[in-house]
């Protein structure tokens, strides 16, 4: 039979609990103290530290003079590196990018300005600036009080995406790179790289427009597009009574009021929904072609003063601002959402959509386009763009959905002209 362990007295238990809590607090305190100290040791410094400890221990235990000399030399080198860490590094760092939004293939002129805001002289420091996956390293000279120094460089862009620049890190280190103390200045500034775009004709072709927007077939009791007169029914707003016509009926012996009836108008709003699942695209380049087509269409919408919204997987721009939609193009990445789910989210977020573009690849069949399109109101003009480099570019009307087969980006103006003409 197993014997139960006797319970500890209450006072002993409370004492052990307090001791355990104190030990954990002591460990956390020492961790906060040691973490910045250990962070100053570079890889070469760790090698020198291991050599110093191993050499001195071997020399003392084995009475071996050579390892002791090597260990002592390494320890002296580490001690000589310590003075380089003394002092405070206070600088003002300003990063200028021109332009901050650029089309792939163009360059960005960048300028890094460093100033000494202190009343004393700033010793020479090493400044690291991350640019994308690379690091630009600058040896800054000593700066007098209030002095400034500027470094200029060029950021070259090749593909659509986002290039993070910064934050700048001022590094105070010894000449051998054993120890260093880093201070981070500023934040991350992004360069938004848009895909190459093609010029397009107006997206307003084939759409009825008035001064306030696009008229629909929906009858409204209050709007700007006058439609007809009808008889008054209880509950109608008396502000919409057409008194002149009602007076004519009264003169003819008919005691009946007539009220104005209108057609709904809506602001032109183009919504773009892009398939984000990788298996729906023949290759990653097809996904890039689709995003380049979206960027071209959004750029045209901006010229036409048409609001534009974009949904690519979990990334969305629902404000109607074309500039925001172009930024979303830059940030778009493959995901798992799918075209149908993204279209449902877009329809809920942008109910005022008047022109819809659905974009997919070779793995997106017509049924998927149809299921995505039904999330929107019946009076929305719907177009599907299927990127397929293996087939010639063409356009076809299938029910209320216009399907554009796009082999390459350069064919977009032609097939779009046919579909919106």
């Amino acid at each position: 039979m197993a014997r139960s362990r006797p319970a500890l007295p209450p006072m002993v238990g409370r004492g052990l609990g307090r001791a355990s809590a104190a030990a954990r607090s002591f460990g956390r305190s020492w961790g906060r103290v040691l973490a910045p100290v250990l962070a100053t040791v570079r890889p070469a410094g760790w090698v020198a530290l291991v050599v110093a400890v191993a050499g001195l221990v071997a020399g003392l235990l084995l009475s071996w003079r050579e390892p002791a000399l090597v260990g002592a030399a390494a320890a002296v080198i580490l001690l000589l590196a310590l003075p380089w860490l003394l002092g405070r590094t206070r600088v003002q760092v300003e990063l200028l990018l021109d332009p901050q939004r650029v089309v792939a293939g163009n360059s960005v002129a960048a300028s890094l300005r460093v100033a000494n805001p202190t009343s004393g002289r700033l010793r020479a420091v090493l400044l690291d600036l991350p640019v994308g996956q690379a690091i630009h390293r600058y040896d800054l000279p000593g700066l007098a009080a209030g002095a400034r120094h500027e470094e200029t460089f060029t950021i070259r862009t090749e593909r659509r995406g986002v290039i993070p620049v910064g934050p700048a890190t001022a590094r105070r280190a010894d000449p051998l790179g054993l120890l260093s103390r880093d201070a981070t200045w500023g934040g991350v500034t992004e360069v938004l790289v848009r895909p190459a775009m093609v010029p397009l004709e107006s997206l307003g072709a084939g759409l009825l427009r008035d001064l306030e927007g696009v008229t629909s077939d929906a009858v409204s009791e209050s709007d700007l597009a006058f439609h007809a007169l009808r008889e008054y029914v209880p509950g109608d707003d008396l502000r919409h009574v057409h008194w002149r016509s009602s007076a004519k009926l009264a003169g003819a012996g008919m005691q009946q009021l007539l009220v104005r009836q209108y057609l709904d108008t809506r602001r032109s709003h183009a919504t773009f929904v892009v398939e984000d699942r990788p298996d729906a695209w023949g290759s990653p380049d097809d996904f890039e072609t689709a995003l380049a087509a979206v960027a071209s269409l959004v750029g045209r919408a901006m010229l036409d003063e048409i609001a534009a919204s974009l949904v690519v997987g979990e990334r969305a721009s629902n404000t109607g601002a074309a500039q925001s939609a172009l930024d979303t193009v830059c940030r778009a990445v493959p995901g798992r959402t799918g075209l149908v789910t993204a279209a449902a989210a877009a329809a809920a977020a942008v109910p005022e959509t008047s022109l819809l573009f659905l974009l997919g690849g070779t793995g997106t069949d017509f049924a998927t386009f149809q299921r995505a399109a039904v999330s929107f109101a019946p009076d929305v003009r719907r177009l599907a763009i299927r990127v397929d480099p293996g087939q010639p570019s063409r356009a076809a009307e299938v029910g209320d959905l216009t399907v554009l087969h796009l082999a390459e980006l350069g064919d977009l103006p032609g097939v779009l002209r046919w579909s919106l003409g």
Side-chain angles (χ1 to χ4, degrees):
M1 180 182 295
R3 295 181 179 180
S4 59
R5 299 179 60 183
L8 293 174
M11 294 183 62
V12 175
R14 287 195 295 270
L16 290 177
R18 283 194 290 266
S20 177
R24 289 194 297 268
S25 177
F26 180 79
R28 288 194 295 267
S29 300
W30 268 105
R32 287 193 293 268
V33 172
L34 290 177
V37 174
L38 297 177
T40 63
V41 184
R42 312 303 298 173
W46 286 111
V47 173
L49 183 61
V50 170
V51 171
V53 173
L56 292 175
V57 170
L60 292 175
L61 296 180
L62 303 176
S63 299
W64 196 356
R65 181 177 302 176
E66 288 78 3
L69 289 176
V70 173
V76 170
I77 292 175
L78 284 172
L79 291 175
L80 293 176
L82 289 175
W84 293 88
L85 304 183
L86 301 179
R88 297 182 62 186
T89 302
R90 289 187 58 193
V91 294
Q92 287 181 346
V93 179
E94 182 182 10
L95 179 64
L96 302 177
L97 301 173
D98 184 29
Q100 198 167 335
R101 292 175 173 85
V102 65
V103 177
N106 295 334
S107 300
V108 178
S111 175
L112 184 66
R113 299 176 181 176
V114 182
N116 177 15
T118 65
S119 57
R121 183 174 180 80
L122 177 66
R123 198 170 62 189
V125 295
L126 190 67
L127 194 70
D128 288 348
L129 181 69
V131 179
Q133 300 298 320
I135 294 181
H136 292 202
R137 182 161 293 170
Y138 302 99
D139 290 314
L140 300 181
L143 297 176
R148 296 176 177 271
H149 179 77
E150 183 174 356
E151 296 281 354
T152 59
F153 59 97
T154 300
I155 302 175
R156 292 181 172 82
T157 63
E158 297 180 358
R159 295 178 62 87
R160 175 198 66 85
V162 179
I163 302 176
V165 182
T169 301
R171 175 166 296 170
R172 187 186 291 272
D174 64 277
L176 298 180
L178 302 177
L179 306 175
S180 71
R181 189 157 60 89
D182 301 342
T184 300
W185 305 95
V188 177
T189 304
E190 295 179 332
V191 175
L192 300 177
V193 185
R194 298 170 178 174
M197 296 177 279
V198 295
L200 301 174
E201 295 182 3
S202 174
L203 299 181
L207 298 178
L208 295 176
R209 301 191 62 176
D210 60 11
L211 292 177
E212 290 299 321
V214 180
T215 59
S216 68
D217 295 331
V219 175
S220 172
E221 299 300 326
S222 176
D223 216 308
L224 293 178
F226 176 74
H227 176 55
L229 295 174
R230 63 169 176 81
E231 294 182 357
Y232 173 86
V233 295
D236 284 340
D237 192 336
L238 293 177
R239 291 176 299 175
H240 299 301
V241 172
H242 197 277
W243 296 107
R244 181 175 298 178
S245 299
S246 301
K248 290 181 180 180
L249 289 180
M254 301 175 61
Q255 302 298 322
Q256 179 66 48
L257 295 178
L258 297 178
V259 296
R260 298 181 182 88
Q261 197 171 46
Y262 302 87
L263 287 177
D264 271 339
T265 60
R266 61 175 57 179
R267 298 293 298 173
S268 300
H269 196 128
T271 297
F272 305 86
V273 185
V274 183
E275 172 68 78
D276 68 327
R277 293 179 300 110
D279 57 358
W281 301 94
S283 70
D285 289 340
D286 293 351
F287 182 64
E288 295 298 326
T289 299
L291 290 174
V294 169
S296 302
L297 291 164
V298 172
R300 182 66 247 187
M302 186 186 303
L303 294 176
D304 293 341
E305 298 183 353
I306 297 176
S309 296
L310 169 62
V311 177
V312 186
E314 296 181 354
R315 296 185 180 273
S317 169
N318 300 326
T319 62
Q323 198 70 259
S324 176
L326 287 174
D327 291 347
T328 303
V329 169
C330 300
R331 302 178 189 279
V333 293
R336 301 179 180 178
T337 303
L339 185 66
V340 176
T341 303
V350 194
E352 64 273 18
T353 298
S354 58
L355 183 60
L356 171 66
F357 288 89
L358 303 170
L359 291 94
T362 55
T364 308
D365 54 21
F366 180 71
T368 301
F369 282 125
Q370 280 187 316
R371 286 188 288 121
V374 296
S375 297
F376 292 82
D379 57 342
V380 174
R381 181 72 185 275
R382 311 167 191 198
L383 297 95
I385 299 179
R386 187 171 186 264
V387 178
D388 184 2
Q391 299 292 331
S393 297
R394 63 189 188 279
E397 293 279 356
V398 184
D400 60 350
L401 184 64
T402 302
V403 182
L404 311 181
H405 295 267
L406 189 64
E408 58 183 29
L409 181 63
D411 296 338
L412 181 61
V415 293
L416 193 65
R417 187 184 306 114
W418 181 89
S419 61
L420 293 179

